[in-house]
Amino acid sequence: MNLIIMGIQGCGKGTQAALISEKYDLDHINIGNAFRKNIAQKTKLGQEVKAYIDKGELVPDSYVYGILDDAISQAENGFILDGFPRNLEQLDYLLQKYTIDKVILLDLPDEIAIRRISARRNCVKCKKDYNLIYNKPKVEGICDVCGGRLVQREDDNEATVARRLQKFHQETAKVIEKYRELGLLYTVDADQTVDEIFQEIVKIIS
Ligand code: AMP
């Protein structure tokens, strides 16, 4: 089974993708995380993509395809894509190379997304995601899993978030429309608890 999870930044798609990946034994392919890992390790790719990410721009497709193909080639039991495709060119690439069974859209108004993004934190060590509104750590500022320090992502600042939301409405919205036309799109209201959203997703997948 190959799935896509889509939605505006802050809609909770990373959290849901992780739950889906665990329940259905699918590889969670998160392009943004792969870039951040490269930036942290100061690889050549990381140095080349950093400026785009810092500004909230989409990274050029050629960098994205390498990461995508590599990750999919390692997925033995199917995958869930998180953060891809984000424009019509990426959609064409995906349609030509891979089969997708279902696309789940987590629907959320911009105002709520912005509030949630400002509450996002992740662990400097193991990278686990938290949210101070709906997915708090047990001890403030400390990762439940590894005890690492929790920080805000550099691109979660106001100006970059505004640019990322704009990109979503300009470019990714067209991908969503295409999947609607193809009859593969399932929409879930993302203004619910993590559990409620997950239960709806499980019904869709099953
Ligand atoms: P995310 O963690 O999904 O919010 O992604 C963080 C940043 O990585 C985005 O703002 C883009 O700069 C870049 N990025 C992630 N996925 C893609 C993609 N499919 N195409 C182009 N850039 C991407």
Side-chain angles (χ1 to χ4, degrees), residues 9 13 30-33 35-36 52-53 56-61 64 82-86 90 120 153 155 164:
Q9 288 71 16
K13 60 185 183 322
N30 179 325
I31 306 289
N33 269 357
F35 284 144
R36 282 186 285 280
Y52 298 98
I53 294 180
E57 299 294 337
L58 291 183
V59 170
D61 293 342
V64 180
D82 168 359
F84 186 94
R86 282 192 168 161
Q90 293 183 2
R120 278 209 299 216
R153 262 169 57 174
D155 62 343
R164 284 155 66 206

Side-chain angles (χ1 to χ4, degrees), residues 21-113:
S21 143
E22 199 183 327
K23 182 171 171 77
Y24 297 97
D25 191 22
L26 302 175
D27 280 31
H28 177 187
I29 301 178
N30 179 325
I31 306 289
N33 269 357
F35 284 144
R36 282 186 285 280
K37 213 168 174 185
N38 274 275
I39 292 171
Q41 293 168 348
K42 297 195 164 45
T43 65
K44 184 166 172 282
L45 176 107
Q47 282 163 0
E48 287 170 5
V49 302
K50 187 173 185 314
Y52 298 98
I53 294 180
D54 285 349
K55 279 189 273 181
E57 299 294 337
L58 291 183
V59 170
D61 293 342
S62 54
Y63 293 106
V64 180
Y65 298 154
I67 297 227
L68 179 85
D69 290 335
D70 195 38
I72 290 184
S73 71
Q74 291 171 40
E76 289 175 1
N77 187 40
F79 55 81
I80 174 149
L81 285 183
D82 168 359
F84 186 94
R86 282 192 168 161
N87 59 31
L88 288 177
E89 291 73 25
Q90 293 183 2
L91 173 69
D92 279 345
Y93 184 84
L94 189 70
L95 289 174
Q96 278 173 32
K97 281 191 93 162
Y98 304 104
T99 305
I100 298 298
D101 299 295
K102 284 179 183 170
V103 179
I104 296 155
L105 170 66
L106 298 185
D107 191 31
L108 195 71
D110 282 18
E111 317 80 74
I112 303 179

Side-chain angles (χ1 to χ4, degrees), residues 162-179:
R163 185 71 186 135
R164 284 155 66 206
L165 295 186
Q166 192 185 21
K167 281 276 157 198
F168 178 87
H169 291 299
Q170 275 172 356
E171 307 212 17
T172 311
K174 294 181 198 155
V175 175
I176 292 170
E177 279 323 302
K178 190 75 192 169
Y179 275 125

